[in-house]
Amino acid sequence: MRFVIITGLSGAGRSQAVKALEDMGYFCIDNLPPSLIPKLSELFTESKKIDKVALVIDLRGGQFFDDLNSSLEYLQKMNYQYEILFLEASDTALIKRYKESRRKHPLAHDGRVIAAIHDERKRLESIRNKATAIIDTSNLTISQLREQLANIFLEGRKFKGLVITVVSFGYKSGIPLDADLVFDVRFLPNPFYIEELKDLTGNDAPVRDYVLSFPVTKEFMAKLYDILQFLIPYYVKEGKTQLVIAVGCTGGKHRSVTVANELYNYLRKNDYAVFVEHRDILK
Protein backbone atom coordinates (compact mmCIF):
# COMPACT_ATOMS: atom_id res chain seq x y z
CA MET A 1 0.00 0.00 0.00
CA ARG A 2 1.21 3.50 -0.81
CA PHE A 3 0.49 5.77 2.16
CA VAL A 4 0.98 9.52 1.58
CA ILE A 5 0.65 12.32 4.12
CA ILE A 6 0.07 15.72 2.51
CA THR A 7 0.94 18.78 4.54
CA GLY A 8 2.57 22.18 4.15
CA LEU A 9 1.82 25.87 4.21
CA SER A 10 -1.71 27.17 3.99
CA GLY A 11 -2.31 28.46 0.47
CA ALA A 12 0.51 26.40 -1.04
CA GLY A 13 -1.80 24.09 -2.99
CA ARG A 14 -2.87 21.25 -0.70
CA SER A 15 -6.44 21.24 -2.06
CA GLN A 16 -5.17 21.03 -5.64
CA ALA A 17 -2.81 18.21 -4.64
CA VAL A 18 -5.71 16.25 -3.13
CA LYS A 19 -7.76 16.64 -6.31
CA ALA A 20 -4.81 15.47 -8.41
CA LEU A 21 -4.20 12.39 -6.25
CA GLU A 22 -7.91 11.54 -6.26
CA ASP A 23 -7.76 11.56 -10.07
CA MET A 24 -4.82 9.15 -9.83
CA GLY A 25 -6.92 6.68 -7.85
CA TYR A 26 -5.86 7.59 -4.32
CA PHE A 27 -8.36 7.33 -1.46
CA CYS A 28 -8.09 10.81 0.07
CA ILE A 29 -9.12 12.18 3.46
CA ASP A 30 -8.86 15.92 4.10
CA ASN A 31 -8.16 17.65 7.45
CA LEU A 32 -7.70 14.44 9.39
CA PRO A 33 -6.75 14.70 13.09
CA PRO A 34 -3.26 13.15 13.27
CA SER A 35 -4.24 11.05 16.30
CA LEU A 36 -6.39 8.95 13.94
CA ILE A 37 -3.50 8.05 11.62
CA PRO A 38 -2.48 4.85 13.50
CA LYS A 39 -6.04 3.46 13.46
CA LEU A 40 -6.52 4.28 9.80
CA SER A 41 -3.18 2.74 8.82
CA GLU A 42 -4.17 -0.48 10.61
CA LEU A 43 -7.58 -0.47 8.93
CA PHE A 44 -6.24 0.04 5.43
CA THR A 45 -3.44 -2.50 5.90
CA GLU A 46 -5.82 -5.19 7.14
CA SER A 47 -8.54 -4.61 4.55
CA LYS A 48 -6.19 -4.84 1.55
CA LYS A 49 -8.97 -3.33 -0.57
CA ILE A 50 -7.29 0.06 -0.91
CA ASP A 51 -3.71 0.24 -2.16
CA LYS A 52 -3.26 4.03 -2.43
CA VAL A 53 -4.14 6.40 0.43
CA ALA A 54 -3.50 10.14 0.88
CA LEU A 55 -4.21 12.03 4.11
CA VAL A 56 -4.18 15.84 4.42
CA ILE A 57 -2.82 17.05 7.75
CA ASP A 58 -2.49 20.77 8.48
CA LEU A 59 -2.87 23.46 11.10
CA ARG A 60 -6.64 23.61 10.63
CA GLY A 61 -6.63 20.70 13.07
CA GLY A 62 -5.56 23.03 15.87
CA GLN A 63 -4.05 21.16 18.80
CA PHE A 64 -4.52 17.87 16.93
CA PHE A 65 -1.56 18.81 14.73
CA ASP A 66 0.72 18.40 17.74
CA ASP A 67 -0.14 14.68 17.72
CA LEU A 68 1.44 14.21 14.30
CA ASN A 69 4.95 13.43 15.52
CA SER A 70 3.73 10.76 17.92
CA SER A 71 1.59 9.22 15.17
CA LEU A 72 4.58 9.10 12.82
CA GLU A 73 6.65 7.47 15.54
CA TYR A 74 3.94 4.82 15.88
CA LEU A 75 4.00 4.13 12.11
CA GLN A 76 7.77 3.69 12.25
CA LYS A 77 7.50 1.40 15.30
CA MET A 78 4.93 -0.78 13.53
CA ASN A 79 7.03 -0.75 10.36
CA TYR A 80 4.29 0.90 8.30
CA GLN A 81 5.76 2.59 5.22
CA TYR A 82 4.67 6.16 4.53
CA GLU A 83 5.65 9.23 2.51
CA ILE A 84 5.29 12.91 3.37
CA LEU A 85 4.53 15.46 0.65
CA PHE A 86 5.26 19.01 1.83
CA LEU A 87 3.95 21.93 -0.22
CA GLU A 88 5.36 25.41 0.22
CA ALA A 89 5.54 28.76 -1.57
CA SER A 90 7.22 32.14 -1.17
CA ASP A 91 5.77 34.80 1.12
CA THR A 92 4.96 36.94 -1.93
CA ALA A 93 3.06 34.14 -3.67
CA LEU A 94 1.10 33.21 -0.53
CA ILE A 95 0.10 36.81 0.23
CA LYS A 96 -1.04 37.29 -3.37
CA ARG A 97 -3.16 34.14 -3.22
CA TYR A 98 -4.82 35.19 0.03
CA LYS A 99 -5.59 38.62 -1.37
CA GLU A 100 -7.11 37.10 -4.51
CA SER A 101 -9.18 34.49 -2.64
CA ARG A 102 -10.06 36.86 0.24
CA ARG A 103 -9.84 33.91 2.59
CA LYS A 104 -8.44 34.23 6.10
CA HIS A 105 -5.22 32.48 7.05
CA PRO A 106 -5.94 29.96 9.85
CA LEU A 107 -3.31 31.60 12.09
CA ALA A 108 -4.10 35.23 11.18
CA HIS A 109 -6.14 36.00 14.27
CA ASP A 110 -5.36 39.72 14.04
CA GLY A 111 -5.70 39.82 10.28
CA ARG A 112 -1.95 40.10 9.50
CA VAL A 113 -1.25 37.44 6.88
CA ILE A 114 2.54 37.85 6.74
CA ALA A 115 2.94 37.26 10.48
CA ALA A 116 0.73 34.18 10.24
CA ILE A 117 2.81 32.80 7.35
CA HIS A 118 6.04 33.22 9.31
CA ASP A 119 4.46 31.59 12.37
CA GLU A 120 3.26 28.67 10.27
CA ARG A 121 6.69 28.18 8.66
CA LYS A 122 8.25 27.97 12.09
CA ARG A 123 5.67 25.50 13.40
CA LEU A 124 6.00 23.27 10.33
CA GLU A 125 9.79 23.25 10.21
CA SER A 126 10.15 19.89 11.96
CA ILE A 127 7.71 18.09 9.67
CA ARG A 128 9.29 19.73 6.61
CA ASN A 129 12.61 18.18 7.63
CA LYS A 130 10.96 14.74 7.55
CA ALA A 131 9.35 15.23 4.14
CA THR A 132 9.93 12.69 1.39
CA ALA A 133 9.09 15.27 -1.29
CA ILE A 134 9.05 19.08 -1.08
CA ILE A 135 7.42 21.06 -3.88
CA ASP A 136 7.62 24.85 -4.10
CA THR A 137 4.44 25.96 -5.89
CA SER A 138 5.32 29.67 -6.10
CA ASN A 139 5.61 29.69 -9.88
CA LEU A 140 3.65 26.56 -10.76
CA THR A 141 0.34 26.52 -12.57
CA ILE A 142 -2.23 23.94 -11.50
CA SER A 143 -1.41 21.77 -14.51
CA GLN A 144 2.32 21.94 -13.74
CA LEU A 145 1.69 20.93 -10.13
CA ARG A 146 -0.42 18.01 -11.32
CA GLU A 147 2.39 16.94 -13.66
CA GLN A 148 4.92 16.94 -10.84
CA LEU A 149 2.60 14.94 -8.61
CA ALA A 150 2.04 12.45 -11.44
CA ASN A 151 5.80 12.07 -11.84
CA ILE A 152 6.14 11.18 -8.18
CA PHE A 153 2.95 9.36 -7.22
CA LEU A 154 1.69 7.87 -10.47
CA GLU A 155 4.73 6.98 -12.54
CA GLY A 156 6.72 6.02 -9.46
CA ARG A 157 9.71 8.22 -10.18
CA LYS A 158 11.90 8.79 -7.16
CA PHE A 159 11.72 12.42 -6.08
CA LYS A 160 15.23 13.83 -5.71
CA GLY A 161 14.21 16.94 -3.79
CA LEU A 162 14.13 19.31 -6.76
CA VAL A 163 11.54 20.34 -9.33
CA ILE A 164 13.24 21.47 -12.55
CA THR A 165 11.63 23.69 -15.17
CA VAL A 166 13.33 24.02 -18.56
CA VAL A 167 12.19 27.16 -20.39
CA SER A 168 13.00 28.06 -23.98
CA PHE A 169 12.83 31.76 -24.82
CA GLY A 170 13.79 34.41 -27.37
CA TYR A 171 16.20 37.16 -26.43
CA LYS A 172 13.98 39.54 -28.41
CA SER A 173 11.40 39.16 -25.66
CA GLY A 174 13.83 39.22 -22.74
CA ILE A 175 15.27 36.67 -20.33
CA PRO A 176 12.75 34.94 -17.99
CA LEU A 177 12.78 36.80 -14.68
CA ASP A 178 12.72 33.64 -12.57
CA ALA A 179 15.61 31.90 -14.35
CA ASP A 180 18.33 30.41 -12.14
CA LEU A 181 20.57 29.28 -15.00
CA VAL A 182 20.61 30.86 -18.48
CA PHE A 183 22.22 29.26 -21.54
CA ASP A 184 22.60 31.25 -24.76
CA VAL A 185 22.44 29.02 -27.86
CA ARG A 186 22.55 31.77 -30.49
CA PHE A 187 25.96 30.48 -31.56
CA LEU A 188 24.38 27.33 -33.03
CA PRO A 189 23.49 27.18 -36.76
CA ASN A 190 20.14 28.90 -37.27
CA PRO A 191 17.30 27.03 -39.09
CA PHE A 192 15.57 30.38 -39.62
CA TYR A 193 17.73 30.93 -42.71
CA ILE A 194 16.73 27.60 -44.28
CA GLU A 195 13.60 28.26 -46.33
CA GLU A 196 11.93 24.91 -45.68
CA LEU A 197 12.62 25.17 -41.92
CA LYS A 198 11.85 28.83 -41.33
CA ASP A 199 8.16 28.37 -40.51
CA LEU A 200 8.65 25.22 -38.42
CA THR A 201 9.69 25.03 -34.76
CA GLY A 202 12.07 23.02 -32.62
CA ASN A 203 9.17 20.67 -31.91
CA ASP A 204 9.27 19.55 -35.54
CA ALA A 205 11.61 16.72 -36.51
CA PRO A 206 13.27 18.51 -39.49
CA VAL A 207 14.33 21.45 -37.29
CA ARG A 208 15.44 19.19 -34.44
CA ASP A 209 17.47 17.00 -36.80
CA TYR A 210 19.07 20.05 -38.42
CA VAL A 211 20.13 21.66 -35.13
CA LEU A 212 21.41 18.41 -33.64
CA SER A 213 23.31 17.38 -36.78
CA PHE A 214 26.22 19.75 -36.19
CA PRO A 215 29.32 18.72 -34.20
CA VAL A 216 29.20 21.99 -32.25
CA THR A 217 25.69 21.12 -31.01
CA LYS A 218 26.73 17.63 -29.97
CA GLU A 219 29.73 19.02 -28.08
CA PHE A 220 27.63 21.71 -26.41
CA MET A 221 24.96 19.24 -25.29
CA ALA A 222 27.61 16.95 -23.79
CA LYS A 223 29.13 19.87 -21.85
CA LEU A 224 25.65 21.04 -20.77
CA TYR A 225 24.77 17.60 -19.42
CA ASP A 226 28.11 17.44 -17.64
CA ILE A 227 27.76 20.78 -15.84
CA LEU A 228 24.20 19.97 -14.75
CA GLN A 229 25.31 16.58 -13.43
CA PHE A 230 27.78 18.53 -11.31
CA LEU A 231 25.49 21.36 -10.22
CA ILE A 232 22.14 19.71 -9.48
CA PRO A 233 23.28 17.52 -6.55
CA TYR A 234 24.73 20.63 -4.90
CA TYR A 235 21.46 22.52 -5.37
CA VAL A 236 19.64 19.62 -3.71
CA LYS A 237 22.19 19.54 -0.88
CA GLU A 238 21.74 23.28 -0.38
CA GLY A 239 18.01 22.72 0.07
CA LYS A 240 16.84 24.30 -3.17
CA THR A 241 13.47 22.85 -4.16
CA GLN A 242 12.90 24.50 -7.54
CA LEU A 243 15.35 25.17 -10.39
CA VAL A 244 14.53 27.11 -13.57
CA ILE A 245 16.89 26.51 -16.50
CA ALA A 246 16.39 28.98 -19.36
CA VAL A 247 17.65 28.29 -22.88
CA GLY A 248 17.57 31.23 -25.28
CA CYS A 249 18.04 31.89 -28.97
CA THR A 250 17.12 34.95 -31.03
CA GLY A 251 13.40 34.38 -31.45
CA GLY A 252 12.73 31.42 -29.15
CA LYS A 253 11.32 29.24 -31.90
CA HIS A 254 14.00 26.94 -33.30
CA ARG A 255 17.35 26.38 -31.53
CA SER A 256 16.26 27.08 -27.96
CA VAL A 257 13.20 24.83 -28.34
CA THR A 258 15.32 21.99 -29.71
CA VAL A 259 17.92 22.25 -26.93
CA ALA A 260 15.26 22.64 -24.22
CA ASN A 261 13.48 19.48 -25.42
CA GLU A 262 16.73 17.51 -25.46
CA LEU A 263 17.56 18.74 -21.97
CA TYR A 264 14.07 17.82 -20.74
CA ASN A 265 14.42 14.30 -22.13
CA TYR A 266 17.87 13.90 -20.58
CA LEU A 267 16.75 15.02 -17.11
CA ARG A 268 13.61 12.90 -17.29
CA LYS A 269 15.65 9.81 -18.16
CA ASN A 270 17.70 10.54 -15.05
CA ASP A 271 14.50 10.47 -12.96
CA TYR A 272 14.32 14.17 -12.14
CA ALA A 273 10.93 15.83 -11.66
CA VAL A 274 11.05 18.07 -14.72
CA PHE A 275 8.78 19.82 -17.17
CA VAL A 276 9.42 22.01 -20.21
CA GLU A 277 7.87 25.31 -21.31
CA HIS A 278 8.36 27.07 -24.65
CA ARG A 279 7.60 30.67 -23.76
CA ASP A 280 8.04 32.38 -27.11
CA ILE A 281 7.41 29.58 -29.61
CA LEU A 282 4.25 31.21 -31.01
CA LYS A 283 5.63 34.75 -31.28
Side-chain angles (χ1 to χ4, degrees), residues 125-180:
E125 186 176 356
S126 62
I127 192 64
R128 184 186 187 278
N129 292 335
K130 297 178 181 179
T132 310
I134 300 174
I135 298 181
D136 186 332
T137 67
S138 301
N139 300 308
L140 296 183
T141 63
I142 293 175
S143 62
Q144 289 170 343
L145 174 59
R146 291 176 69 91
E147 182 177 349
Q148 297 315 308
L149 294 172
N151 284 340
I152 302 169
F153 298 109
L154 184 61
E155 298 182 14
R157 296 174 180 272
K158 184 178 180 181
F159 188 73
K160 297 184 178 181
L162 188 68
V163 175
I164 303 174
T165 305
V166 182
V167 183
S168 70
F169 72 95
Y171 276 92
K172 288 182 178 180
S173 302
I175 298 174
L177 295 177
D178 58 345
D180 296 297

Side-chain angles (χ1 to χ4, degrees), residues 45-265:
T45 301
E46 292 173 1
S47 70
K48 298 182 180 180
K49 293 182 180 180
I50 299 176
D51 60 355
K52 293 185 292 186
V53 178
L55 309 178
V56 181
I57 309 293
D58 54 59
L59 290 177
R60 287 176 297 169
Q63 74 237 35
F64 294 122
F65 191 84
D66 297 331
D67 296 331
L68 180 56
N69 285 330
S70 60
S71 293
L72 294 180
E73 291 175 0
Y74 174 84
L75 293 181
Q76 291 176 331
K77 180 180 178 181
M78 300 302 293
N79 204 27
Y80 289 137
Q81 300 299 312
Y82 66 89
E83 301 167 76
I84 298 177
L85 168 65
F86 190 95
L87 299 174
E88 62 184 8
S90 67
D91 289 355
T92 301
L94 293 174
I95 291 173
K96 181 181 179 182
R97 291 171 188 175
Y98 270 102
K99 285 184 176 180
E100 291 175 348
S101 67
R102 298 184 179 180
R103 296 192 64 183
K104 183 180 179 181
H105 191 286
L107 298 183
H109 305 299
D110 60 355
R112 292 298 307 277
V113 175
I114 187 63
I117 292 172
H118 291 168
D119 183 22
E120 188 176 35
R121 284 192 195 279
K122 185 176 180 180
R123 294 177 64 176
L124 295 180
E125 186 176 356
S126 62
I127 192 64
R128 184 186 187 278
N129 292 335
K130 297 178 181 179
T132 310
I134 300 174
I135 298 181
D136 186 332
T137 67
S138 301
N139 300 308
L140 296 183
T141 63
I142 293 175
S143 62
Q144 289 170 343
L145 174 59
R146 291 176 69 91
E147 182 177 349
Q148 297 315 308
L149 294 172
N151 284 340
I152 302 169
F153 298 109
L154 184 61
E155 298 182 14
R157 296 174 180 272
K158 184 178 180 181
F159 188 73
K160 297 184 178 181
L162 188 68
V163 175
I164 303 174
T165 305
V166 182
V167 183
S168 70
F169 72 95
Y171 276 92
K172 288 182 178 180
S173 302
I175 298 174
L177 295 177
D178 58 345
D180 296 297
L181 297 172
V182 179
F183 296 97
D184 184 348
V185 298
R186 288 177 291 183
F187 65 92
L188 298 178
N190 194 349
F192 179 82
Y193 297 107
I194 308 298
E195 189 62 31
E196 59 269 28
L197 302 180
K198 181 177 180 179
D199 294 328
L200 301 178
T201 75
N203 285 332
D204 297 309
V207 171
R208 182 184 68 245
D209 294 344
Y210 176 83
V211 173
L212 297 178
S213 68
F214 294 92
V216 64
T217 308
K218 293 182 175 65
E219 183 177 359
F220 170 73
M221 295 305 300
K223 292 182 182 297
L224 179 58
Y225 298 153
D226 186 57
I227 193 170
L228 290 177
Q229 282 182 341
F230 171 79
L231 287 174
I232 290 176
Y234 282 99
Y235 285 133
V236 174
K237 184 178 180 181
E238 177 193 328
K240 192 174 183 62
T241 59
Q242 187 166 336
L243 178 68
V244 178
I245 304 172
V247 181
C249 63
T250 305
K253 184 176 180 179
H254 298 104
R255 294 166 290 180
S256 62
V257 173
T258 297
V259 172
N261 285 340
E262 291 299 302
L263 184 54
Y264 167 82
N265 291 331

